[in-house]
Amino acid sequence: NRLIGHDVRRPGETARSVFHPRSRRDAAARARLDRANRIMSHENTAKRRTLSVSSRLATLGAAAFFGFGTMLAAGWYGGTTIRSASEAAVGIQKKVDTVQAMRLANVDLVLVAMDSIIDREEKAIQPERLKIIETSLKTLKEGTASAKLLAGVIGKPALLDTFDADLQAMEKAVAVDLKVMIEAGAPMEAFSSLDDAVDAGGERMTAALGTLVDEGSALLEARVNDAQAASTKSIQYQFGIGLLGMITLLGMIVYHGN
């Protein structure tokens, strides 16, 4: 009867199992062990989920940072390109304006010389004409450097090969010789060579300056178009990068959510 699990039967009774108290203690210990294992498993699962969420957030943050960084880089590049094209256009515009002023000054110089020859019998150049001569020569001298720079920019520096010599000849003919001859009352025949020199020099200068203005204006238009094209391209790049980034980020959110 002391054997574990030994059936004890009395008359009129069905079979029954009799367990030793040690068996009940072992079963309770196993139950506690199973409960502890379930608790540990739950904690490990929660820990794994926490790490997974952190990784997902890090991935989304990195993608967003890369997208915004790319947009900023595209914006910076576009801004630099636009600024460079705009500065080039402004520089060309200033040079074209200077050359245009030189062209008008040269025309004024020739016209004043012709008018003074016509009015030579007054034996003096009118004060306002002397002022125009002085102002025109100053404009031509001060603008020579800009004119040469513009000629280099358009790739035709040879346009001004004779400009300095022509300007010196014009200054001597109009500001010196013309004044002396008119005040001396020289005859009309004496003005012929001076008139030819003024016409020839003035015509060469006017032609060279006119070509610079025309081709400089064409180059200016090209630079303005470049700036506009760079602006449009920059906007398109930023829009495309932003759209791609949004689609990518949305796809990652959906993927991580599933």
Side-chain angles (χ1 to χ4, degrees):
N1 294 335
R2 292 179 180 178
L3 295 175
I4 298 174
H6 181 73
D7 292 340
V8 179
R9 295 189 181 186
R10 293 180 182 177
E13 292 182 347
T14 59
R16 62 179 179 177
S17 296
V18 179
F19 296 95
H20 194 275
R22 182 181 295 175
S23 298
R24 290 194 294 271
R25 288 196 298 271
D26 291 342
R30 285 196 297 271
R32 289 194 296 271
L33 181 60
D34 291 340
R35 186 165 55 252
N37 289 333
R38 286 196 299 270
I39 293 173
M40 292 180 64
S41 177
H42 178 73
E43 291 178 351
N44 290 333
T45 301
K47 186 176 180 180
R48 287 196 299 271
R49 288 179 179 175
T50 301
L51 293 175
S52 178
V53 170
S54 300
S55 300
R56 292 171 182 177
L57 290 176
T59 303
L60 293 174
F65 179 80
F66 179 77
F68 285 119
T70 305
M71 286 187 64
L72 289 175
W76 175 82
Y77 176 77
T80 302
T81 304
I82 295 170
R83 183 168 55 254
S84 177
S86 298
E87 289 176 354
V90 170
I92 294 173
Q93 180 66 66
K94 291 180 178 179
K95 293 179 179 63
V96 170
D97 291 342
T98 299
V99 174
Q100 180 65 20
M102 293 172 65
R103 182 183 182 184
L104 296 177
N106 183 64
V107 172
D108 289 340
L109 190 63
V110 173
L111 291 177
V112 165
M114 297 298 102
D115 291 341
S116 298
I117 293 174
I118 293 173
D119 297 333
R120 63 189 180 280
E121 294 181 357
E122 297 178 0
K123 294 186 178 181
I125 299 178
Q126 298 176 6
E128 60 272 15
R129 291 176 179 173
L130 289 174
K131 182 65 176 179
I132 292 174
I133 292 173
E134 179 183 357
T135 303
S136 297
L137 289 173
K138 181 180 179 181
T139 300
L140 289 168
K141 291 178 181 178
E142 292 179 349
T144 300
S146 294
K148 290 181 178 180
L149 288 175
L150 182 59
V153 170
I154 65 175
K156 294 184 177 180
L159 281 174
L160 299 179
D161 283 347
T162 64
F163 187 83
D164 289 335
D166 290 335
L167 180 56
Q168 292 178 358
M170 286 285 289
E171 182 177 15
K172 181 177 183 301
V174 179
V176 179
D177 295 343
L178 180 62
K179 185 173 182 295
V180 171
M181 293 174 65
I182 289 177
E183 292 177 351
M188 182 59 190
E189 293 76 12
F191 289 94
S192 297
S193 58
L194 186 144
D195 183 66
D196 293 339
V198 171
D199 284 341
E203 184 176 355
R204 284 192 298 270
M205 292 172 65
T206 300
L209 295 174
T211 301
L212 282 180
V213 170
D214 294 339
E215 299 198 13
S217 298
L219 181 60
L220 173 62
E221 184 178 358
R223 291 292 181 269
V224 171
N225 291 336
D226 290 343
Q228 293 176 345
S231 177
T232 302
K233 186 177 295 184
S234 176
I235 294 174
Q236 291 175 346
Y237 281 161
Q238 293 183 59
F239 179 79
I241 292 172
L243 183 61
L244 179 62
M246 291 174 63
I247 294 174
T248 302
L249 190 60
L250 181 60
M252 294 179 67
I253 291 174
V254 173
Y255 174 77
H256 288 318
N258 293 332

